[in-house]
Each structure stands twice: as C-alpha cells, then as structure tokens.
Amino acid sequence: MATRTDPLYGVHIMAVTNRLSVIRQSPFYWRVVIDNPPLNLFDPEMFAELNVLMDEIEHDTDLKIVVFESGDEDFFVNHHDLERGHGAADQPGGASFDHWPTFVTRLAQSSVLSVAKMRGRARAQGFEFALACDMRFASRERAVFSLMEVAGSSVPGGGGVEWLAALVGRSRTLEVVLGADDFDADIAERYGWINRSVPDSELDAFVDAFAERVSRFEKRALELGKKLVNARAGVPSEGDLWISNHVLAGVDAWLEAQAMLTKLNAAGFGKDKEFELNIAERLGRHQLGEAD
C-alpha cells in the first residue's frame, strides 16, 4: 500500500490495493471512496471489500455516519461486471452475489447512517447500492441514474424495484424500470429517490457539513431515530430482496437475455467507455455494434 493525499481535504490516507479507500475524518465520520478504473464496474473484489467494510462498521462503537463517494467523476458505481460472473473473490469478504440481499439489509438496518454522495452514472447494481443507502445527495450537473436491465432483455434483481417502489410509488417505478432510460438529478429529486440535487461545485461542502453535524449528535438517539423511520418507511425485507435476486438468476438463462448479452459484449459492454457513457441511449435505439 502507498500513502496518497486526498485532493478534497488534504489528509493523508492509505490507498488500498483494490477498490475502496476509507478516510476516517473523525472517530464518528468516515468517507469511503470507491474507485475501480476504468469504468468503476461492480465486481467480486468490490463486493468483498464492502462486506469487510460492513463488518468494520458494525463493530465500531463510535462511528455514526459513513459517506460513500466515487473516485471517478463519470461513474458513481457502474453495473455489475458480467464478464467476471457471479463468483466470489478469493480474498477476505469474498462471497457470491447470491449474498447481495444480506449485505444491503445489513447496510439499511445498521446503527450507522449511510450517505451516497453521487457524481457520474449510477446504473443497475450501482444504482441499487445507492438506493440501499439511507440518504442520497447528487450533483445536479454530473449525476445520472438508470435501471437499464429491461432494455437488455433482463430485469432488476438487486433490490431496485423494492427500493424505488417504497420511495416513489408504483407508476414512477414502472417508468424507471420499464423505460430503462437515464434520469438526471433534478428529476430524481422531483420523483423522490434522492434527497437533494445540489450544484456540483457545492456538493462536497454540503455533504461534509451534513455529516459533520450528524456526527456530533448522540449515537443512541441517531440509532433509535433510524429504527423508527425504517419501521414506518416500507424498507424492503431481506426476504423480498432474496426473491428478486432469485428471479434474476432465472432470467439470465432466457434465450433473449443470452442473445442480448452477446450483442452487448460485441458493442463494448463493460469495456468501452464511450459505449458505457451512452448505454441507455444506445439500448433505446438498439444501436449495438451492427446498427452503427
């Protein structure tokens, strides 16, 4: 590991060898920078590190709030790395993606508050990760959200349907899921799946001030307050999330899904940055290599 300087706060951190860098702003407030170049794909190593991080969060008696952010201004967290498959990474925390419902349930029910500070694209599993966080603040100019699975002859299986339905209702969830298009931060705020759309130049200071404020409050009051809200807010159960995860496993075997995956791979899915930046538009027009 090598020490590097965080450009936002000027503090020295240890750069991890894989996907996450944890910056302890104080004993009560951590920032977690997610960085998996070149496309910030959600891969087995990222999942393993998140599982280890969740263990650390649950065992830290002082920690009150964690902010997740991206090291890539173009991608908050991208879709699942399909080329790597659903197997477990050979490292601490390694688990197959069948265990995804357990992770997001732990995050949602944790005594520690979780905040997604969002720049760039959050698509499919990356979007579902952000939805599992307790709060979301997004760059007005740079944040993009999409559950694009239906356009790829699949369906969301990582909790996107459950989280969105609780936040925005049936009709808007159908628009997001079945339209499979990109949405900007202003629409996301209007529909209600993010807390606020914030000008990009103000986002860091805004989220930092919020986290610092919360970190000064009594932990037991924060924990009880979150439990009370969770009990009344329609937070999906782990069982609900397991059902969608199981359904997705079956969908992956559809002939239509296999045929579309072949086209996606030929067009640069998970590899070509230009394709990844514009994937919702390309899928909407079925421009997958041969159509260009």
Side-chain angles (χ1 to χ4, degrees), residues 18 47 60 105 117 134 172 209 272 282 288:
N18 291 314
F47 188 34
D60 193 299
T105 300
K117 182 175 75 175
D134 297 321
R172 283 175 168 167
D272 181 77
R282 296 281 293 276
L288 299 177

Side-chain angles (χ1 to χ4, degrees), residues 164 166-169 171-176 183-195:
L164 272 182
L167 290 167
V168 308
S171 295
R172 283 175 168 167
T173 301
L174 286 169
E175 178 189 355
V176 175
F183 291 81
D184 63 28
D186 284 343
I187 292 178
E189 180 188 67
R190 190 181 314 148
Y191 278 22
W193 74 71
I194 65 170
N195 294 67

Side-chain angles (χ1 to χ4, degrees), residues 153-262:
S153 300
S154 185
V155 293
V161 170
E162 289 81 6
W163 296 110
L164 272 182
L167 290 167
V168 308
R170 175 178 180 271
S171 295
R172 283 175 168 167
T173 301
L174 286 169
E175 178 189 355
V176 175
V177 172
L178 302 187
D181 206 351
D182 284 343
F183 291 81
D184 63 28
D186 284 343
I187 292 178
E189 180 188 67
R190 190 181 314 148
Y191 278 22
W193 74 71
I194 65 170
N195 294 67
R196 298 197 198 189
S197 170
V198 182
D200 189 74
S201 62
E202 302 172 16
L203 181 63
D204 294 322
F206 176 86
V207 174
D208 190 51
F210 176 80
E212 290 284 3
R213 175 182 174 83
V214 168
S215 73
R216 292 191 288 269
F217 299 154
E218 178 62 45
K219 179 161 181 168
R220 284 207 300 174
L222 294 171
E223 180 178 1
L224 181 56
K226 178 175 172 176
K227 285 182 177 179
L228 290 171
V229 172
N230 279 359
R232 290 157 174 79
V235 174
S237 70
E238 185 173 350
D240 294 331
L241 300 171
W242 273 102
I243 291 171
S244 286
N245 201 50
H246 180 71
V247 168
L248 177 60
V251 170
D252 286 342
W254 285 358
L255 293 178
E256 301 96 325
Q258 292 294 315
M260 179 59 77
L261 181 58
T262 298

Side-chain angles (χ1 to χ4, degrees), residues 6 10 14 28 41 52 77 137 144 156 179 192 219 231 249 263 271:
D6 176 70
M14 297 298 290
F28 316 112
L41 294 175
V52 171
V77 179
F137 300 101
V144 177
K219 179 161 181 168
K263 292 180 180 180
K271 296 184 177 68

Side-chain angles (χ1 to χ4, degrees), residues 44 86 90 119 139 147 169 201 213 222 241 249 281 286 290:
H86 294 268
D90 184 18
R119 286 187 174 90
S139 165
L147 290 177
S201 62
R213 175 182 174 83
L222 294 171
L241 300 171
E281 179 184 1
H286 285 286
E290 75 280 6

Side-chain angles (χ1 to χ4, degrees), residues 112-151:
V112 174
L113 295 176
S114 57
V115 176
K117 182 175 75 175
M118 306 184 71
R119 286 187 174 90
R121 286 141 181 83
R123 292 205 177 105
Q125 190 150 13
F127 188 8
E128 290 165 328
F129 168 66
L131 288 169
C133 292
D134 297 321
M135 287 166 271
R136 289 154 296 283
F137 300 101
S139 165
R140 180 168 296 153
E141 297 88 348
R142 302 199 64 88
V144 177
F145 308 86
S146 177
L147 290 177
M148 61 186 186
E149 289 90 337
V150 167

